[in-house]
Amino acid sequence: MILPIVAYGSPVLRKVCKDISPDYPGLNKLINDLWETMYNSKGVGLAAPQVNSDIRLFVIDSVQIINNLNEEEKKDYPGDHGYKGVFVNAHLVAVNGEDWAYNEGCLSIPKIREDIFRQEKVTLDFVDENFQPHIKTFSGITARVILHEYDHTDGKLFIDYLKPLKRKLLKRKLDDITRGKVDVDYRMMFAK
């Protein structure tokens, strides 16, 4: 089922999400709905808070980004072949490498894209949809997508990385999103 995406200004986007157990009600359906909603919205990642659920869960598919790069662009991300997967109860182990800028956007903050600096690599401790434990290190665009979605489970948004002046310049656009004054081609849920 395609779920509405929660818009900027909704309190759930600022919550630090909680870990869940394997018997969390409706988990498999929620994971399937996250995939369907993400692809329908032309996203590369989607976190549970973005569909109004305050649990530590997100899905990503950076394979589609890597596959759309030309051979020259792929050289900028050595060793990053993309990753498609489910992250449950993810917690940071390490973030390292050089800071680099990439133009990020967010389905919860439509029509706004900004260059955000993040480090090159991330190591996460998480379980997959079958609650099998993993500790994995990701790099390049995949690391960036993971860090973006991971931030959602910590109540952070990509605009939090902007300098105060830049945030101030975006205030009117952000206020419009909160009020539902934005035109998108996917379902959204706005703060009351």
Side-chain angles (χ1 to χ4, degrees):
M1 173 193 291
I2 296 168
L3 302 171
I5 292 176
V6 172
Y8 175 80
S10 299
V12 70
L13 293 177
R14 292 304 190 177
K15 279 189 171 182
V16 175
C17 296
K18 57 187 179 276
D19 283 356
I20 59 171
S21 61
D23 59 355
Y24 184 83
L27 180 61
N28 286 336
K29 181 177 182 342
L30 179 57
I31 290 169
N32 289 336
D33 291 349
L34 281 172
W35 285 121
E36 192 175 349
T37 303
M38 182 191 83
Y39 288 125
N40 178 71
S41 310
K42 298 176 182 63
V44 294
L46 191 63
Q50 292 181 275
V51 294
N52 208 27
S53 183
D54 64 346
I55 60 173
R56 295 191 82 81
L57 165 66
F58 61 89
V59 299
I60 73 144
D61 179 1
S62 63
V63 174
Q64 56 184 330
I65 300 173
I66 299 297
N67 287 347
N68 285 323
L69 296 175
N70 65 41
E71 290 309 310
E72 199 58 37
E73 291 169 321
K74 286 181 183 177
K75 292 177 185 171
D76 292 337
Y77 311 105
D80 185 1
H81 304 289
Y83 185 83
K84 179 180 175 180
V86 177
F87 294 78
V88 180
N89 300 342
H91 293 279
L92 281 179
V93 174
V95 182
N96 46 43
E98 296 292 315
D99 278 355
W100 62 290
Y102 189 84
N103 196 253
E104 288 189 30
C106 179
L107 295 172
S108 292
I109 311 174
K111 310 282 187 187
I112 294 178
R113 296 192 67 85
E114 293 293 333
D115 286 343
I116 303 299
F117 283 87
R118 295 187 190 267
Q119 288 177 284
E120 295 172 301
K121 293 183 179 171
V122 60
T123 303
L124 281 187
D125 183 350
F126 66 99
V127 294
D128 60 27
E129 63 272 29
N130 300 310
F131 274 75
Q132 295 303 305
H134 301 274
I135 296 178
K136 288 189 178 182
T137 300
F138 302 91
S139 63
I141 290 177
T142 299
R144 177 169 296 273
V145 173
I146 287 170
L147 284 167
H148 179 108
E149 299 308 328
Y150 179 86
D151 276 353
H152 277 298
T153 65
D154 268 352
K156 290 169 69 177
L157 301 169
F158 83 96
I159 56 172
D160 297 345
Y161 293 94
L162 297 174
K163 290 187 172 20
L165 176 61
K166 187 66 178 172
R167 288 266 313 265
K168 193 170 185 172
L169 293 171
L170 289 173
K171 184 172 181 349
R172 189 206 249 122
K173 285 183 181 179
L174 293 169
D175 288 346
D176 283 349
I177 292 168
T178 300
R179 289 193 291 269
K181 294 181 179 180
V182 65
D183 188 30
V184 293
D185 57 0
Y186 51 88
R187 288 177 57 208
M188 290 196 80
M189 178 188 316
F190 300 95
K192 301 276 186 263

